[in-house]
Amino acid sequence: MTCKRNYIDSKNALVLTGGGARAAYQVGVLSAITKFVPRNHGIPFPILCGTSAGAINSTALACYASCFHLGVKKLEWIWKNLDTGRIYHNDAKGIFGYIAKGVFSSFQNSKTKKSAHSLLNNDPLRELLNFVIDFKRIDDNILGQYLSAVSVTASSYTTGDSISFFQANESISPWIRAKRQGVRGTINSEHLMASSAIPLVFPSIKIKNRHLGDGSVHQLSPLSTAIHLGAERLFIIGVEETKSPTASFNYDKNPPSTATIAGHLLDSIFTDTMHSDLERMHRINSTLKSIPEESQKNKSLKHIESLIINPSKDLNAIARNHFNDLPLSVRILLRSVGIKNDSESSIISYLLFEKSFCNEVIKLGFNDAMKKEKEIKLFLNLK
């Protein structure tokens, strides 16, 4: 496919948040946007920033930045045909054998070299990433000026910093700020494995003497990476579920279970910092607007526009309807920690990498974006 137009000068950035299997929602939104972009055009976001599962989606798009339709189509096909076995070992031996191995390793001598352990073994994900993502295409799209930069954010358990690994044109420099930094490099599957390593659920990844985990953990300013990479307009696709009041348990009578609390902690990791960062950005925009341009002393501050899309329905409720689609071994493991198909815990929606759930969430993302067609077209300057 030969593309006639790129958007390299648009300063648009696509920001994809984390959320495990919920990231299927992002694919639905992107699928809707392809309806607004001619088939022979490149991606309307020259800057791509992703965290956790969002990092996998953004990197896959970076490989097809010159052909937006083709990139989204490939990404959609993967998610629509996914199952948990492609993400983590889901059989009895793979689950309980892995847990037992981790328990036994805890009794080993402290000087013995140990591997990272967790609840689930996501080695299958590494195989999937290396099979479906052609990382070499990223440089080609940067040289062809269809892509300005792509970043993958991970959290360092070694230093406590949020580290954004980025691959970009030469005009973009690394940065160091309080508790966060941008590191130039060539993105590969290990960066994606690190960024998507949900705490306790998936093992940490070691890259250059750093032990790294899910990018949302220490991400105090999730919008800053895109801005450092030159963005002035942020199109954000979140995965924060909309909760209906009737779906909540009455905690005055029934205190939250351990699984429910764990789900809330994950929700906080993946969503709370985004809200605070958006609020901070709007406050800066308001301040800049009230100060005449010639009087502004801090020229590093700039007005940033944003548009965020989140699910219109409760993803937890959708996930509970598909709980029985999980393999038996996974259901037994979840039930052992108090998670059943009627549980309030959001953990189910993070781990439900089954096509039945993913297809429904993709459809939701598509419909939500189509309802905002005019708003999206205006924001991205699409005719």
Side-chain angles (χ1 to χ4, degrees):
M1 181 183 294
T2 302
C3 296
K4 296 181 180 180
R5 180 183 173 185
N6 62 45
Y7 297 85
I8 197 71
D9 297 323
S10 68
K11 302 296 183 180
N12 291 337
L14 176 65
V15 180
L16 301 180
T17 63
R22 298 180 180 191
Y25 178 82
Q26 299 168 352
V27 180
V29 174
L30 292 168
S31 179
I33 296 176
T34 63
K35 305 299 181 184
F36 316 147
V37 178
R39 293 186 62 84
N40 57 352
H41 283 207
I43 191 170
F45 313 99
I47 300 170
L48 298 168
C49 301
T51 302
S52 194
I56 295 175
N57 286 341
S58 62
T59 303
L61 286 176
C63 296
Y64 291 92
S66 62
C67 300
F68 182 49
H69 278 256
L70 181 59
V72 174
K73 186 176 181 180
K74 286 181 175 290
L75 194 57
E76 189 174 6
W77 185 89
I78 293 169
W79 278 94
K80 283 187 173 182
N81 292 279
L82 203 59
D83 63 74
T84 54
R86 302 298 300 274
I87 307 299
Y88 53 85
H89 289 301
N90 61 4
D91 60 305
K93 181 180 178 181
I95 292 178
F96 300 107
Y98 182 72
I99 294 175
K101 183 179 178 181
V103 172
F104 290 140
S105 69
S106 66
F107 293 100
Q108 292 179 326
N109 189 294
S110 59
K111 296 181 180 180
T112 303
K113 186 177 180 180
K114 300 180 181 180
S115 58
H117 281 282
S118 57
L119 185 65
L120 296 169
N121 181 355
N122 62 343
D123 279 345
L125 174 59
R126 180 181 285 106
E127 296 177 13
L128 177 64
L129 293 174
N130 286 324
F131 179 72
V132 300
I133 299 181
D134 185 358
F135 294 95
K136 295 179 181 178
R137 295 177 62 102
I138 296 177
D139 264 341
D140 294 338
N141 287 320
I142 292 175
L143 291 173
Q145 295 192 331
Y146 289 100
L147 184 67
S148 176
V150 58
S151 74
V152 171
T153 299
S155 299
S156 172
Y157 292 128
T158 305
T159 65
D161 289 347
S162 175
I163 302 177
S164 294
F165 298 97
F166 70 92
Q167 195 168 337
N169 60 47
E170 295 179 355
S171 66
I172 300 175
S173 302
W175 65 89
I176 297 179
R177 297 292 186 272
K179 304 303 294 180
R180 64 184 190 272
Q181 57 182 293
V183 178
R184 178 183 287 275
T186 301
I187 292 174
N188 58 45
S189 59
E190 292 307 292
H191 296 102
L192 300 183
M193 291 292 292
S195 183
S196 59
I198 299 174
L200 303 179
V201 177
F202 297 138
S204 61
I205 301 295
K206 188 176 182 181
I207 299 177
K208 292 185 177 180
N209 298 319
R210 292 191 183 103
H211 293 277
L212 304 169
D214 197 292
S216 299
V217 175
H218 293 118
Q219 197 175 32
L220 302 179
S221 184
L223 303 180
S224 65
T225 297
I227 296 171
H228 278 295
L229 294 175
E232 296 181 2
R233 301 165 63 81
L234 309 180
F235 188 89
I236 306 160
I237 307 178
V239 293
E240 181 183 5
E241 76 283 358
T242 300
K243 292 184 178 179
S244 59
T246 56
S248 300
F249 288 129
N250 185 351
Y251 291 132
D252 292 335
K253 296 181 178 180
N254 301 302
S257 66
T258 301
T260 300
I261 294 173
H264 278 287
L265 290 175
L266 284 180
D267 290 343
S268 297
I269 289 172
F270 286 112
T271 64
D272 286 0
T273 54
M274 177 63 74
H275 289 302
S276 61
D277 212 19
L278 281 168
E279 182 180 352
R280 187 185 305 115
M281 185 187 72
H282 293 320
R283 189 165 59 248
I284 292 173
N285 285 344
S286 179
T287 301
L288 290 175
K289 189 176 180 180
S290 64
I291 303 174
E293 189 173 348
E294 61 273 11
S295 302
Q296 294 178 15
K297 296 180 180 181
N298 191 345
K299 299 299 181 180
S300 63
L301 295 178
K302 56 185 178 181
H303 181 88
I304 304 294
E305 296 184 46
S306 65
L307 176 62
I308 184 168
I309 295 183
N310 273 312
S312 61
K313 295 183 179 180
D314 185 354
L315 297 185
N316 289 341
I318 296 174
R320 287 194 291 270
N321 291 335
H322 294 278
F323 180 80
N324 289 327
D325 294 331
L326 285 166
L328 178 61
S329 298
V330 179
R331 280 181 279 147
I332 291 174
L333 175 64
L334 293 177
R335 283 170 176 156
S336 69
V337 293
I339 301 174
K340 299 180 291 184
N341 61 335
D342 59 350
S343 297
E344 179 69 6
S345 178
S346 60
I347 292 178
I348 301 172
S349 64
Y350 288 101
L351 299 180
L352 222 164
F353 293 95
E354 293 292 335
K355 60 183 179 182
S356 57
F357 172 71
C358 292
N359 274 271
E360 186 168 347
V361 174
I362 288 172
K363 184 178 181 180
L364 175 64
F366 182 87
N367 290 336
D368 284 351
M370 291 302 294
K371 291 176 182 177
K372 296 187 176 184
E373 177 178 353
K374 291 184 179 179
E375 191 176 358
I376 292 173
K377 283 183 174 180
L378 180 63
F379 185 82
L380 297 178
N381 193 27
L382 300 173
K383 297 181 180 179

